[in-house]
Amino acid sequence: MPRYALKIEYDGTPFSGWQRQADQPSVQGAVERALSQLESDVPSIAAAGRTDAGVHALGQVAHCDLRKDWDPFRLAQALNYHLKPDPVSVVACARVGQDFHARFSAHERRYLFRLVSRRAPVTHDRGLVWQVGHPLALAPMQAAARHLLGRHDFTTFRASLCQAASPVKTLDALEVSENPYPGGAEFRFHVRARSFLHNQVRSFVGTLERVGAGAWAPEDVKTALEARNRAACGPVCPPQGLYLAGVGYDPDPFGDG
C-alpha cells in the first residue's frame, strides 16, 4: 500500500485535541473521516505529536497508507474538499517510503506560543492567543529562558499525568521576541527540541510570563528547574496560544529544507 505524508494545519478550538475519541470531536477523527470518503477501510493514521484540546497546528505531520496510487497534489485537494467545514487543511502531501513514520522518523518538533499583552480584549485573534492585561518586560524573559536551554531533568515543567518514560529532555531553542500589536504588544516564544513532555511548553510560558510581569526574577526559573518538583513551577498557561509550528525530518518529505 502506498504511504503518504500529510502536512496539516488546524484551529484546535472546536476539538478535544488531535487524538481520536469516541464521543468528542478530534482532528484525527476529522482527517480519518475525510480519508474514508476516498477509500473504505483506511487504516488509522499516525501523527508526529498529540496536541491537547484547544492547541493549534501550522505544520502537524501525519502519515497514512492507501490502496490507490494517488497523485499527492490531487490527494491533498480531495482531502480538503471532504474536510470542509472543519477548520483543518492539508497544506502539503508527499509520497514516502514504508520506513517513514510521522512520529518515530521525526528528529525535532517546533512550537510557537503567542502571548498578547493589552487591556482591550482581542477580537480577531480571539481563541488564537493567550491575553494578559498587564505589561511584560522582554529582557527578563529572555534571560530566564536561557536557564532552560540544554539537557535537564524537566520534572518541574512536566504535567503530573505525563506518560513519558523519563523527565530528561534536551531543549535546543527557546527564543522570546516582542512584536507590535494594536493597543499593546505580542510576545512570541519559539521552542525547539527532539521531543517534549506533556504540558512542557505551556509550563515554560506560564513561568516566563511571571518573570515578564516582575513577579519572578530570571534566576528563580533556574531555582525552579533545579528543584525537580512540579510544585516549583509557575502557572501553566492556557492552550489557545500554542501552535505545533513544524516537525523536522531528514530528508524532509515536503522538500522544505
Side-chain angles (χ1 to χ4, degrees), residues 1 35-42 65-68 70:
M1 299 176 71
L35 283 165
S36 71
Q37 298 299 309
L38 306 182
E39 295 187 9
S40 60
D41 301 323
V42 174
D65 295 326
L66 300 175
R67 292 188 179 87
K68 181 178 175 180
W70 284 84

Side-chain angles (χ1 to χ4, degrees), residues 215-226:
W216 286 41
E219 295 74 21
D220 292 336
V221 174
K222 182 175 186 291
T223 302
L225 172 67
E226 293 173 345

Side-chain angles (χ1 to χ4, degrees), residues 6-63:
L6 308 173
K7 182 182 290 188
I8 305 168
E9 68 177 25
Y10 49 85
D11 177 348
T13 304
F15 299 107
S16 61
W18 166 267
Q19 189 172 10
R20 183 191 337 101
Q21 299 184 38
D23 57 349
Q24 297 290 333
S26 68
V27 183
Q28 181 181 7
V31 177
E32 289 181 344
R33 282 194 302 274
L35 283 165
S36 71
Q37 298 299 309
L38 306 182
E39 295 187 9
S40 60
D41 301 323
V42 174
S44 176
I45 62 176
R50 297 175 178 177
T51 53
D52 289 337
V55 176
H56 316 295
L58 304 174
Q60 171 73 282
V61 177
H63 77 261

Side-chain angles (χ1 to χ4, degrees), residues 103-160:
R103 178 184 175 190
F104 299 118
S105 299
H107 65 77
E108 72 172 20
R109 290 156 178 86
R110 301 180 296 277
Y111 282 90
L112 163 68
F113 196 97
R114 299 179 60 199
L115 168 57
V116 169
S117 165
R118 82 172 191 181
R119 293 293 297 276
V122 298
T123 52
H124 298 297
D125 282 324
R126 185 178 180 182
L128 301 176
V129 299
W130 175 31
Q131 181 181 1
V132 298
H134 48 265
L136 299 172
L138 175 64
M141 290 193 287
Q142 292 174 325
R146 288 193 284 271
H147 292 302
L148 299 170
L149 295 175
R151 184 174 177 83
H152 302 285
D153 180 329
F154 284 107
T155 296
T156 298
F157 301 96
R158 176 190 195 186
S160 58

Side-chain angles (χ1 to χ4, degrees), residues 61-116:
V61 177
H63 77 261
C64 62
D65 295 326
L66 300 175
R67 292 188 179 87
K68 181 178 175 180
D69 188 3
W70 284 84
D71 172 78
F73 176 80
R74 292 185 179 277
L75 175 58
Q77 297 305 301
L79 287 173
N80 286 332
Y81 176 82
H82 290 293
L83 279 165
K84 295 182 292 187
D86 287 325
V88 183
S89 179
V90 177
V91 296
C93 177
R95 177 80 177 265
V96 293
Q98 288 295 317
D99 59 341
F100 176 88
H101 192 284
R103 178 184 175 190
F104 299 118
S105 299
H107 65 77
E108 72 172 20
R109 290 156 178 86
R110 301 180 296 277
Y111 282 90
L112 163 68
F113 196 97
R114 299 179 60 199
L115 168 57
V116 169

